[in-house]
Amino acid sequence: MNQYTPGPDPDDDGARGPVPYETAHGRPYHSEHAEHAGAVGPGDRQAPVRPHNPMVVTWTLIWVNVAVYALMWILNLTGIDATYWLGLAPAVAFTEPWRILTSGFAHSMSNPTHLLLNMYTLWIFGRMLEGGLGRGRFLTVYVASLLGGAAAVVLLSPTYSLTVGASGAVFGLFGAVLAVTLWGPRQFRSNLTTILVLIGVNVVFGFLVPGISWQGHLGGLVTGVVVTGIFLARSRRNPRSSGGRPQATQQGR
């Protein structure tokens, strides 16, 4: 699907001035002097802005997850079961609250595919969302979805079942894409059926396959829809919050 650029939140330093998707790999040269005077002298030219990476947060999250997995693997070689200390179980959620966060970065040591699938999905949704929502908003959706998935695990999972994985946060990005499809610019409506089928298949898969936390998936999905919906509503009420570039909020309308 196309990348959505609703415009940044002026209070969000990380999201200020996102690049429209058509120039996502570098900002175009721009000079206010040239715009008003019609000419630019050699001394008035601005230095070209270096292209920036529109997926900084995505790649950072991927590398953090990989680094945690590598650390768990090293500890496992020494006889320390890191999953036991990093995973989340309702029975210890309040006495050992760090697990709420660490469980979202730890993955199953017996199944490397668990990490690979989550990171591949994070990369796909990072390409779709980070450049459009802005880094700060994208990170907010991810972390909020991780916490929402953890909350659902605490409320709905068996008391002593241990849960690990970034799936709750990743399902939050599913929810973010759904929110953009429902409430973003109209050109994204054509993707609604595809998104609903994709989400439906993954949700059903979580219910049917043993060892998958449907609780974390559900909590992350709902959180992602809600948080992204709030961001979109704020952008709609304040369409000029993009620093004088309202065109970035009106594509396809």
Side-chain angles (χ1 to χ4, degrees):
M1 67 179 283
N2 293 327
Q3 188 174 15
Y4 174 51
T5 307
D9 185 342
D11 297 326
D12 184 356
D13 292 335
R16 188 169 294 154
V19 184
Y21 65 84
E22 56 268 5
T23 60
H25 296 289
R27 295 181 186 272
Y29 175 84
H30 177 73
S31 170
E32 292 183 0
H33 181 82
E35 185 175 287
H36 294 289
V40 180
D44 296 326
R45 291 178 181 173
Q46 296 180 355
V49 179
R50 293 181 180 180
H52 77 290
N53 184 353
M55 292 177 61
V56 170
V57 174
T58 301
W59 281 115
T60 300
L61 290 170
I62 289 174
W63 283 115
V64 169
N65 278 275
V66 172
V68 170
Y69 191 84
L71 178 60
M72 293 175 66
W73 182 75
I74 293 172
L75 291 174
N76 201 46
L77 292 178
T78 65
I80 299 175
D81 185 1
T83 304
Y84 177 80
W85 295 103
L86 301 179
L88 177 64
V92 295
F94 298 103
T95 57
E96 300 175 0
W98 70 80
R99 295 172 179 269
I100 293 173
L101 184 62
T102 59
S103 63
F105 291 95
H107 287 81
S108 171
M109 295 303 299
S110 62
N111 184 15
T113 305
H114 185 210
L115 172 69
L116 294 175
L117 287 177
N118 276 338
M119 295 305 97
Y120 178 65
T121 309
L122 171 56
W123 178 75
I124 290 175
F125 286 122
R127 293 183 64 191
M128 292 181 181
L129 294 168
E130 183 176 343
L133 291 176
R135 293 174 184 171
R137 286 177 170 178
F138 178 77
L139 181 60
T140 299
V141 171
Y142 187 91
V143 174
S145 300
L146 186 156
L147 297 177
V153 167
V154 172
L155 293 173
L156 302 174
S157 293
T159 304
Y160 293 101
S161 66
L162 202 63
T163 300
V164 293
S167 300
V170 168
F171 263 74
L173 302 183
F174 270 103
V177 172
L178 177 60
V180 170
T181 304
L182 290 172
W183 303 309
R186 292 178 182 175
Q187 75 259 30
F188 296 110
R189 303 292 193 278
S190 60
N191 297 307
L192 181 58
T193 300
T194 302
I195 296 300
L196 289 175
V197 170
L198 184 62
I199 292 175
V201 168
N202 280 274
V203 169
V204 171
F205 187 77
F207 280 101
L208 296 181
V209 178
I212 294 180
S213 174
W214 62 265
Q215 299 89 341
H217 291 182
L218 182 62
L221 177 65
V222 172
T223 304
V225 171
V226 171
V227 174
T228 307
I230 291 172
F231 285 147
L232 294 173
R234 291 184 62 187
S235 296
R236 190 176 296 111
R237 288 197 303 267
N238 188 15
R240 302 190 69 87
S241 64
S242 56
R245 296 199 331 238
Q247 70 274 13
T249 69
Q250 297 176 357
Q251 297 176 18
R253 291 187 179 180

